[in-house]
Amino acid sequence: MNTKRLLCTGLLIVALRGAGLAASGDMNRSGSLGLGAEFGQPMAVTGKLWLSDALAVDGALGYHWNHNFDMHADFLVHTNALTAAMNGTLPLYAGLGARLLAGDDTQFGLRIPLGVSYFVRPRQIELF
């Protein structure tokens, strides 16, 4: 099995296991932890630790197909400006963080993530 296929399989297993962990408790509550995966560039394992109902720290560790590893971490603030949407909630978030790209083309930079999360109820899965 080649390295890329092994990495993709590992990411999928972690994502599915993470979805099970997240589904077992309330998301976006102080102390809750969500695990999952990013698909695309990079393929990554992700994690999000909720510090309160509105504050969280997230991070990811992934691999780009150009042989670089990608790591980032962010401090996020969530707002319920868009509260209800199709059997779930739709909070907006913004934050500040850092990114390290290591490998053939090593880089360091700041991140300003802006986005929307969708929490599916009752299973408590977060899509972002």
Side-chain angles (χ1 to χ4, degrees):
M1 182 178 277
N2 66 33
T3 304
K4 290 179 184 177
R5 186 174 295 168
L6 183 62
L7 180 63
C8 289
T9 303
L11 288 172
L12 183 60
I13 290 169
V14 169
L16 293 174
R17 176 65 184 134
L21 289 173
S24 65
D26 287 340
M27 291 296 294
N28 77 321
R29 299 286 180 248
S30 182
S32 65
L33 175 66
L35 300 173
E38 290 181 14
F39 298 100
Q41 283 281 29
M43 295 287 287
V45 175
T46 64
K48 188 173 193 178
L49 175 64
W50 287 88
L51 305 174
S52 71
D53 291 356
L55 303 176
V57 177
D58 78 348
L61 177 62
Y63 179 76
H64 284 271
W65 301 123
N66 63 358
H67 308 290
N68 287 308
F69 286 92
D70 188 300
M71 296 167 268
H72 76 262
D74 306 306
F75 178 77
L76 302 172
V77 178
H78 297 75
T79 178
N80 286 326
L82 307 171
T83 55
M86 300 182 308
N87 299 322
T89 60
L90 194 64
L92 303 173
Y93 64 85
L96 184 63
R99 175 180 181 230
L100 176 65
L101 186 66
D104 297 339
D105 184 21
T106 300
Q107 301 172 8
F108 177 79
L110 294 179
R111 291 172 38 93
I112 303 173
L114 302 169
V116 176
S117 289
Y118 178 66
F119 291 99
V120 180
R121 296 195 190 270
R123 299 206 56 217
Q124 300 300 340
I125 295 172
E126 178 181 5
L127 305 172
F128 62 96

